[in-house]
Amino acid sequence: QKEVEQDPGPLSVPEGAIVSLNCTYSNSAFQYFMWYRQYSRKGPELLMYTYSSGNKEDGRFTAQVDKSSKYISLFIRDSQPSDSATYLCAMSEAAGNKLTFGGGTRVLVKP
Amino acid sequence: GAVVSQHPSWVICKSGTSVKIECRSLDFQATTMFWYRQFPKQSLMLMATSNEGSKATYEQGVEKDKFLINHASLTLSTLTVTSAHPEDSSFYICSATASGGGQYFGPGTRLTVT
C-alpha cells in the first residue's frame, strides 16, 4: 500500500463545474499538506499549502485537511478549460522536509 | 510567490558526456533544495536532498557518483549527470523550500541522451 493514495482519474467535468480532488494517507506524522498543479512538460505549481487540520481558501481554490481521517481535499470552483492539468497532493512531517506525493489526478475541463 | 528557475530548460547530449543542471531560488534563500526526476505520465521521484554547505542525501537506489549534487550557496544548487546514458533521459525538476514552509518547484529540465 502506498503511503499517499490518489485516484489517477481522468476526471472530466464541464466548464463552470466544481472539481473535487482528494488524497488519503497512512502516516499520522504528516503535518504539512500541499496541492500542486502540473501542466505537461512543466514543473509543478504550488496552489495551496496548509498546516495541520482545517480549511483554507484562496480565490477559486479551497483546501481541506482532516487529520483524524487522514484525508485531504481540494475543491476548484468555477472550473475553466485552463484548469485542465494533473493535480498532485503532497505532504511532509515538518516544514522543509522532503515531500511524499500522491500519484496525481488528471483533470479535464471541457468547454 | 517564490520563484525557482532552472537552466537549461532542455539539453541534448551524447552518451558518455556529462551535463550540469542549475537550480536557483530567485527571490528567497533556500538552505534545502530537492532534486526529482519524472518519467512520462508518472509522478515525481525524489532523487536527493541538497543542503547548503554539506553533502547531499541521496534516496535509495540513486547513484551518488553518477548524479553529483553541489549546493554552494543559499540560492544555487547544481545537479551533474556524469557519463550520461540514454536511460538517464528524463525530466529533471528541482524544488526549494521558502521560509514560510511551502516548497516551490522549478520549470524543469528535459534531458535527452543520444
Side-chain angles (χ1 to χ4, degrees), chain A residues 32 34 36 38 40-46 49 88 95-99 101-104, chain B residues 32 34 36 38 43-44 46 49 59 91 93 97 100-108 110:
Chain A
Y32 294 83
M34 280 156 260
Y36 291 89
Q38 186 177 25
S40 181
R41 297 176 178 243
K42 301 289 184 183
E45 173 192 3
L46 180 62
Y49 169 55
L88 299 158
N97 277 23
K98 63 181 181 180
L99 297 176
F101 281 89
Chain B
T32 303
F34 301 89
Y36 298 81
Q38 186 177 35
S43 192
L44 292 88
L46 179 66
T49 302
E59 295 299 300
F91 192 51
I93 315 174
T97 302
Q103 199 170 122
Y104 296 85
F105 284 82
R110 184 158 304 281

Side-chain angles (χ1 to χ4, degrees), chain A residues 5-23:
Chain A
E5 297 278 0
Q6 185 176 6
D7 189 323
L11 178 62
S12 183
V13 300
E15 183 176 356
I18 294 175
V19 176
S20 176
L21 303 165
N22 59 76
C23 290

